CSV table of all heavy atoms in Angstrom, one decimal:
chain,number,residue,atom,x,y,z
A,19,GLY,N,2.3,-11.4,8.0
A,19,GLY,CA,2.6,-10.2,7.3
A,19,GLY,C,2.3,-10.2,5.9
A,19,GLY,O,1.7,-9.3,5.3
A,20,PRO,N,2.7,-11.2,5.1
A,20,PRO,CA,2.4,-11.3,3.7
A,20,PRO,C,0.9,-11.3,3.4
A,20,PRO,O,0.5,-10.7,2.4
A,20,PRO,CB,3.0,-12.6,3.2
A,20,PRO,CG,4.1,-12.9,4.2
A,20,PRO,CD,3.6,-12.3,5.5
A,21,VAL,N,0.1,-11.9,4.3
A,21,VAL,CA,-1.3,-11.9,4.1
A,21,VAL,C,-1.9,-10.5,4.3
A,21,VAL,O,-2.7,-10.0,3.5
A,21,VAL,CB,-2.0,-12.9,5.1
A,21,VAL,CG1,-3.5,-12.9,4.9
A,21,VAL,CG2,-1.4,-14.3,5.0
A,22,PHE,N,-1.4,-9.8,5.3
A,22,PHE,CA,-1.8,-8.4,5.5
A,22,PHE,C,-1.4,-7.5,4.4
A,22,PHE,O,-2.2,-6.7,3.9
A,22,PHE,CB,-1.2,-7.9,6.8
A,22,PHE,CG,-1.6,-6.6,7.2
A,22,PHE,CD1,-2.8,-6.4,7.9
A,22,PHE,CD2,-0.8,-5.4,7.0
A,22,PHE,CE1,-3.2,-5.1,8.3
A,22,PHE,CE2,-1.2,-4.2,7.3
A,22,PHE,CZ,-2.4,-4.0,8.0
A,23,GLY,N,-0.1,-7.7,3.9
A,23,GLY,CA,0.3,-6.9,2.8
A,23,GLY,C,-0.5,-7.1,1.5
A,23,GLY,O,-0.8,-6.1,0.8
A,24,ALA,N,-0.8,-8.4,1.2
A,24,ALA,CA,-1.6,-8.7,0.1
A,24,ALA,C,-3.0,-8.1,0.2
A,24,ALA,O,-3.6,-7.5,-0.8
A,24,ALA,CB,-1.7,-10.2,-0.1
A,25,GLY,N,-3.5,-8.1,1.4
A,25,GLY,CA,-4.8,-7.5,1.7
A,25,GLY,C,-4.8,-6.0,1.4
A,25,GLY,O,-5.8,-5.5,0.8
A,26,ILE,N,-3.8,-5.3,1.8
A,26,ILE,CA,-3.7,-3.8,1.5
A,26,ILE,C,-3.6,-3.6,0.0
A,26,ILE,O,-4.4,-2.7,-0.5
A,26,ILE,CB,-2.5,-3.2,2.3
A,26,ILE,CG1,-2.7,-3.3,3.8
A,26,ILE,CG2,-2.3,-1.8,1.8
A,26,ILE,CD1,-1.5,-2.8,4.6
A,27,VAL,N,-2.7,-4.2,-0.6
A,27,VAL,CA,-2.5,-4.0,-2.1
A,27,VAL,C,-3.7,-4.3,-2.9
A,27,VAL,O,-4.2,-3.5,-3.7
A,27,VAL,CB,-1.2,-4.7,-2.6
A,27,VAL,CG1,-1.1,-4.6,-4.1
A,27,VAL,CG2,0.0,-4.2,-1.9
A,28,ILE,N,-4.3,-5.5,-2.7
A,28,ILE,CA,-5.4,-5.9,-3.5
A,28,ILE,C,-6.6,-5.0,-3.2
A,28,ILE,O,-7.4,-4.7,-4.1
A,28,ILE,CB,-5.7,-7.4,-3.3
A,28,ILE,CG1,-4.5,-8.2,-3.7
A,28,ILE,CG2,-7.0,-7.8,-4.0
A,28,ILE,CD1,-4.1,-8.1,-5.1
A,29,SER,N,-6.8,-4.7,-1.9
A,29,SER,CA,-8.0,-3.8,-1.6
A,29,SER,C,-7.8,-2.4,-2.2
A,29,SER,O,-8.8,-1.9,-2.7
A,29,SER,CB,-8.0,-3.7,0.0
A,29,SER,OG,-8.3,-4.9,0.6
A,30,LEU,N,-6.6,-1.9,-2.2
A,30,LEU,CA,-6.5,-0.5,-2.8
A,30,LEU,C,-6.7,-0.6,-4.3
A,30,LEU,O,-7.3,0.3,-4.9
A,30,LEU,CB,-5.1,0.0,-2.5
A,30,LEU,CG,-4.8,0.5,-1.0
A,30,LEU,CD1,-3.3,0.8,-0.8
A,30,LEU,CD2,-5.7,1.6,-0.7
A,31,GLN,N,-6.2,-1.7,-4.9
A,31,GLN,CA,-6.4,-1.8,-6.4
A,31,GLN,C,-7.9,-1.9,-6.7
A,31,GLN,O,-8.3,-1.4,-7.7
A,31,GLN,CB,-5.6,-3.0,-6.9
A,31,GLN,CG,-4.1,-2.8,-6.9
A,31,GLN,CD,-3.4,-4.1,-7.3
A,31,GLN,OE1,-4.0,-5.2,-7.4
A,31,GLN,NE2,-2.1,-4.0,-7.6
A,32,ASN,N,-8.6,-2.7,-5.9
A,32,ASN,CA,-10.0,-2.9,-6.1
A,32,ASN,C,-10.8,-1.6,-5.9
A,32,ASN,O,-11.8,-1.3,-6.6
A,32,ASN,CB,-10.5,-4.0,-5.2
A,32,ASN,CG,-11.9,-4.4,-5.5
A,32,ASN,OD1,-12.2,-5.0,-6.6
A,32,ASN,ND2,-12.9,-4.1,-4.7
A,33,LEU,N,-10.5,-0.9,-4.8
A,33,LEU,CA,-11.3,0.3,-4.4
A,33,LEU,C,-11.0,1.5,-5.3
A,33,LEU,O,-11.8,2.3,-5.5
A,33,LEU,CB,-11.0,0.6,-2.9
A,33,LEU,CG,-11.6,-0.5,-1.9
A,33,LEU,CD1,-11.1,-0.1,-0.5
A,33,LEU,CD2,-13.1,-0.5,-2.0
A,34,LEU,N,-9.7,1.6,-5.7
A,34,LEU,CA,-9.3,2.9,-6.3
A,34,LEU,C,-9.1,2.8,-7.8
A,34,LEU,O,-9.0,3.9,-8.4
A,34,LEU,CB,-7.9,3.4,-5.7
A,34,LEU,CG,-7.9,3.6,-4.2
A,34,LEU,CD1,-6.5,4.0,-3.7
A,34,LEU,CD2,-9.0,4.7,-3.8
A,35,ALA,N,-9.1,1.6,-8.4
A,35,ALA,CA,-8.8,1.5,-9.8
A,35,ALA,C,-9.8,2.3,-10.6
A,35,ALA,O,-9.5,2.9,-11.6
A,35,ALA,CB,-8.8,0.0,-10.2
A,36,ASP,N,-11.1,2.2,-10.3
A,36,ASP,CA,-12.1,2.9,-11.1
A,36,ASP,C,-12.3,4.3,-10.7
A,36,ASP,O,-13.0,5.1,-11.4
A,36,ASP,CB,-13.5,2.2,-10.9
A,36,ASP,CG,-13.9,2.1,-9.5
A,36,ASP,OD1,-13.1,2.3,-8.6
A,36,ASP,OD2,-15.1,2.0,-9.2
A,37,LYS,N,-11.6,4.8,-9.7
A,37,LYS,CA,-11.7,6.2,-9.3
A,37,LYS,C,-10.5,7.0,-9.7
A,37,LYS,O,-10.6,8.2,-10.1
A,37,LYS,CB,-11.8,6.3,-7.7
A,37,LYS,CG,-13.1,5.6,-7.2
A,37,LYS,CD,-13.1,5.7,-5.7
A,37,LYS,CE,-14.4,5.2,-5.1
A,37,LYS,NZ,-14.5,3.7,-5.3
A,38,VAL,N,-9.3,6.5,-9.6
A,38,VAL,CA,-8.1,7.2,-10.0
A,38,VAL,C,-7.3,6.6,-11.1
A,38,VAL,O,-6.3,7.2,-11.5
A,38,VAL,CB,-7.2,7.3,-8.7
A,38,VAL,CG1,-7.9,8.1,-7.6
A,38,VAL,CG2,-6.7,6.0,-8.2
A,39,GLY,N,-7.8,5.5,-11.6
A,39,GLY,CA,-7.1,4.8,-12.8
A,39,GLY,C,-5.7,4.4,-12.5
A,39,GLY,O,-5.5,3.8,-11.4
A,40,SER,N,-4.8,4.7,-13.3
A,40,SER,CA,-3.4,4.2,-13.2
A,40,SER,C,-2.7,4.9,-12.0
A,40,SER,O,-1.6,4.4,-11.6
A,40,SER,CB,-2.6,4.4,-14.5
A,40,SER,OG,-2.6,5.8,-14.8
A,41,TRP,N,-3.3,5.9,-11.5
A,41,TRP,CA,-2.7,6.6,-10.3
A,41,TRP,C,-2.7,5.7,-9.1
A,41,TRP,O,-2.0,6.0,-8.1
A,41,TRP,CB,-3.4,7.9,-10.0
A,41,TRP,CG,-3.0,9.0,-10.9
A,41,TRP,CD1,-3.6,9.4,-12.1
A,41,TRP,CD2,-1.9,9.9,-10.7
A,41,TRP,NE1,-2.9,10.4,-12.7
A,41,TRP,CE2,-1.9,10.8,-11.8
A,41,TRP,CE3,-1.0,10.1,-9.7
A,41,TRP,CZ2,-0.9,11.8,-11.9
A,41,TRP,CZ3,0.0,11.1,-9.8
A,41,TRP,CH2,0.0,11.9,-10.9
A,42,VAL,N,-3.4,4.6,-9.1
A,42,VAL,CA,-3.4,3.7,-8.0
A,42,VAL,C,-2.0,3.2,-7.7
A,42,VAL,O,-1.7,3.0,-6.5
A,42,VAL,CB,-4.4,2.5,-8.2
A,42,VAL,CG1,-4.0,1.6,-9.3
A,42,VAL,CG2,-4.6,1.7,-6.9
A,43,THR,N,-1.2,3.0,-8.7
A,43,THR,CA,0.1,2.5,-8.5
A,43,THR,C,1.0,3.6,-7.8
A,43,THR,O,1.8,3.2,-7.0
A,43,THR,CB,0.8,2.2,-9.9
A,43,THR,OG1,0.8,3.3,-10.7
A,43,THR,CG2,0.1,1.0,-10.5
A,44,VAL,N,0.7,4.9,-8.1
A,44,VAL,CA,1.4,5.9,-7.4
A,44,VAL,C,1.0,5.9,-5.9
A,44,VAL,O,1.9,6.1,-5.0
A,44,VAL,CB,1.1,7.3,-8.0
A,44,VAL,CG1,1.8,8.4,-7.3
A,44,VAL,CG2,1.5,7.3,-9.5
A,45,ILE,N,-0.3,5.8,-5.6
A,45,ILE,CA,-0.7,5.7,-4.2
A,45,ILE,C,-0.1,4.6,-3.5
A,45,ILE,O,0.4,4.7,-2.3
A,45,ILE,CB,-2.3,5.7,-4.2
A,45,ILE,CG1,-2.9,7.0,-4.8
A,45,ILE,CG2,-2.8,5.5,-2.8
A,45,ILE,CD1,-4.4,6.9,-5.0
A,46,ILE,N,-0.1,3.4,-4.1
A,46,ILE,CA,0.5,2.2,-3.4
A,46,ILE,C,2.0,2.4,-3.2
A,46,ILE,O,2.5,2.1,-2.2
A,46,ILE,CB,0.2,1.0,-4.3
A,46,ILE,CG1,-1.3,0.6,-4.3
A,46,ILE,CG2,1.0,-0.2,-3.7
A,46,ILE,CD1,-1.7,-0.5,-5.2
A,47,GLY,N,2.6,3.0,-4.2
A,47,GLY,CA,4.1,3.3,-4.1
A,47,GLY,C,4.3,4.3,-2.9
A,47,GLY,O,5.3,4.1,-2.2
A,48,ALA,N,3.5,5.3,-2.8
A,48,ALA,CA,3.7,6.3,-1.7
A,48,ALA,C,3.5,5.6,-0.3
A,48,ALA,O,4.2,5.9,0.6
A,48,ALA,CB,2.7,7.4,-1.8
A,49,ILE,N,2.5,4.7,-0.3
A,49,ILE,CA,2.2,4.0,1.0
A,49,ILE,C,3.4,3.1,1.3
A,49,ILE,O,3.9,3.0,2.5
A,49,ILE,CB,1.0,3.1,0.9
A,49,ILE,CG1,-0.3,4.1,0.8
A,49,ILE,CG2,0.8,2.2,2.1
A,49,ILE,CD1,-1.6,3.3,0.6
A,50,PHE,N,4.0,2.5,0.3
A,50,PHE,CA,5.2,1.7,0.5
A,50,PHE,C,6.4,2.5,1.0
A,50,PHE,O,7.1,2.1,1.9
A,50,PHE,CB,5.6,1.0,-0.8
A,50,PHE,CG,6.8,0.2,-0.7
A,50,PHE,CD1,6.9,-1.0,0.1
A,50,PHE,CD2,7.9,0.5,-1.4
A,50,PHE,CE1,8.0,-1.7,0.2
A,50,PHE,CE2,9.1,-0.2,-1.4
A,50,PHE,CZ,9.1,-1.3,-0.6
A,51,VAL,N,6.6,3.7,0.4
A,51,VAL,CA,7.7,4.5,0.9
A,51,VAL,C,7.5,4.9,2.4
A,51,VAL,O,8.4,4.9,3.2
A,51,VAL,CB,7.8,5.8,0.0
A,51,VAL,CG1,8.8,6.8,0.6
A,51,VAL,CG2,8.2,5.4,-1.4
A,52,ILE,N,6.3,5.3,2.7
A,52,ILE,CA,6.0,5.7,4.1
A,52,ILE,C,6.2,4.5,5.0
A,52,ILE,O,6.8,4.6,6.1
A,52,ILE,CB,4.5,6.2,4.2
A,52,ILE,CG1,4.3,7.5,3.4
A,52,ILE,CG2,4.1,6.3,5.7
A,52,ILE,CD1,2.9,7.9,3.3
A,53,CYS,N,5.8,3.3,4.6
A,53,CYS,CA,6.0,2.1,5.4
A,53,CYS,C,7.4,1.8,5.6
A,53,CYS,O,7.9,1.5,6.7
A,53,CYS,CB,5.3,0.9,4.7
A,53,CYS,SG,5.4,-0.6,5.7
A,54,VAL,N,8.2,1.9,4.5
A,54,VAL,CA,9.7,1.7,4.7
A,54,VAL,C,10.3,2.7,5.6
A,54,VAL,O,11.2,2.3,6.4
A,54,VAL,CB,10.3,1.7,3.3
A,54,VAL,CG1,11.9,1.7,3.4
A,54,VAL,CG2,9.9,0.5,2.4
A,55,LEU,N,9.9,3.9,5.5
A,55,LEU,CA,10.5,5.0,6.4
A,55,LEU,C,10.1,4.8,7.9
A,55,LEU,O,10.9,5.0,8.8
A,55,LEU,CB,10.2,6.4,5.9
A,55,LEU,CG,10.8,6.7,4.5
A,55,LEU,CD1,10.3,8.1,4.0
A,55,LEU,CD2,12.3,6.7,4.6
A,56,ALA,N,8.8,4.5,8.1
A,56,ALA,CA,8.2,4.5,9.4
A,56,ALA,C,8.1,3.1,10.0
A,56,ALA,O,8.2,3.0,11.2
A,56,ALA,CB,6.8,5.2,9.4
A,57,PHE,N,8.0,2.1,9.2
A,57,PHE,CA,7.8,0.7,9.7
A,57,PHE,C,8.8,-0.2,8.9
A,57,PHE,O,8.4,-0.9,8.0
A,57,PHE,CB,6.4,0.2,9.5
A,57,PHE,CG,5.3,1.1,10.1
A,57,PHE,CD1,4.6,2.0,9.3
A,57,PHE,CD2,5.1,1.2,11.4
A,57,PHE,CE1,3.7,2.8,9.8
A,57,PHE,CE2,4.1,2.0,12.0
A,57,PHE,CZ,3.4,2.8,11.1
A,58,ARG,N,10.0,-0.1,9.3
A,58,ARG,CA,11.1,-0.8,8.4
A,58,ARG,C,10.9,-2.3,8.5
A,58,ARG,O,11.3,-3.0,7.6
A,58,ARG,CB,12.4,-0.4,8.9
A,58,ARG,CG,12.7,1.0,8.8
A,58,ARG,CD,14.2,1.3,9.0
A,58,ARG,NE,15.0,0.7,7.9
A,58,ARG,CZ,16.3,0.8,7.9
A,58,ARG,NH1,17.0,1.5,8.8
A,58,ARG,NH2,17.0,0.2,6.9
A,59,LYS,N,10.2,-2.9,9.5
A,59,LYS,CA,10.0,-4.3,9.6
A,59,LYS,C,8.6,-4.7,9.0
A,59,LYS,O,8.2,-5.8,9.1
A,59,LYS,CB,10.1,-4.8,11.0
A,59,LYS,CG,11.5,-4.6,11.7
A,59,LYS,CD,11.5,-5.1,13.1
A,59,LYS,CE,12.9,-4.9,13.7
A,59,LYS,NZ,12.9,-5.4,15.1
A,60,GLY,N,7.9,-3.7,8.4
A,60,GLY,CA,6.6,-4.0,7.9
A,60,GLY,C,5.6,-3.8,9.1
A,60,GLY,O,5.9,-3.7,10.2
A,61,VAL,N,4.3,-3.7,8.7
A,61,VAL,CA,3.3,-3.4,9.7
A,61,VAL,C,3.2,-4.5,10.8
A,61,VAL,O,3.3,-4.2,12.0
A,61,VAL,CB,1.9,-3.2,9.1
A,61,VAL,CG1,0.8,-3.0,10.1
A,61,VAL,CG2,1.9,-2.0,8.1
A,62,VAL,N,3.1,-5.7,10.4
A,62,VAL,CA,3.0,-6.8,11.3
A,62,VAL,C,4.3,-7.0,12.1
A,62,VAL,O,4.3,-7.2,13.3
A,62,VAL,CB,2.6,-8.1,10.6
A,62,VAL,CG1,2.6,-9.3,11.6
A,62,VAL,CG2,1.2,-7.9,10.0
A,63,GLY,N,5.4,-6.8,11.4
A,63,GLY,CA,6.7,-7.0,12.0
A,63,GLY,C,7.0,-5.9,13.1
A,63,GLY,O,7.5,-6.3,14.2
A,64,GLU,N,6.5,-4.7,12.8
A,64,GLU,CA,6.7,-3.7,13.8
A,64,GLU,C,5.8,-3.9,15.0
A,64,GLU,O,6.2,-3.7,16.2
A,64,GLU,CB,6.4,-2.3,13.2
A,64,GLU,CG,7.4,-1.8,12.3
A,64,GLU,CD,8.7,-1.4,13.0
A,64,GLU,OE1,8.7,-1.3,14.2
A,64,GLU,OE2,9.7,-1.2,12.3
């Protein structure tokens, strides 16, 4: 799970940082909220 989570966060930062700038933190935060609401055990845990 932690490896998968690190892959998602680092990949999004790498892919979106030059496109949306500091908004990448908002996108990652939104993904986290969705994950907490829909996958309370995390992606791998679910």
Side-chain angles (χ1 to χ4, degrees):
V21 181
F22 184 83
I26 293 176
V27 173
I28 299 302
S29 297
L30 286 174
Q31 289 177 346
N32 186 72
L33 293 173
L34 300 178
D36 59 339
K37 297 180 176 65
V38 298
S40 59
W41 280 91
V42 67
T43 57
V44 177
I45 295 173
I46 293 175
I49 293 174
F50 176 66
V51 170
I52 294 172
C53 180
V54 170
L55 293 176
F57 309 100
R58 299 192 64 180
K59 296 181 180 180
V61 177
V62 175
E64 287 292 345

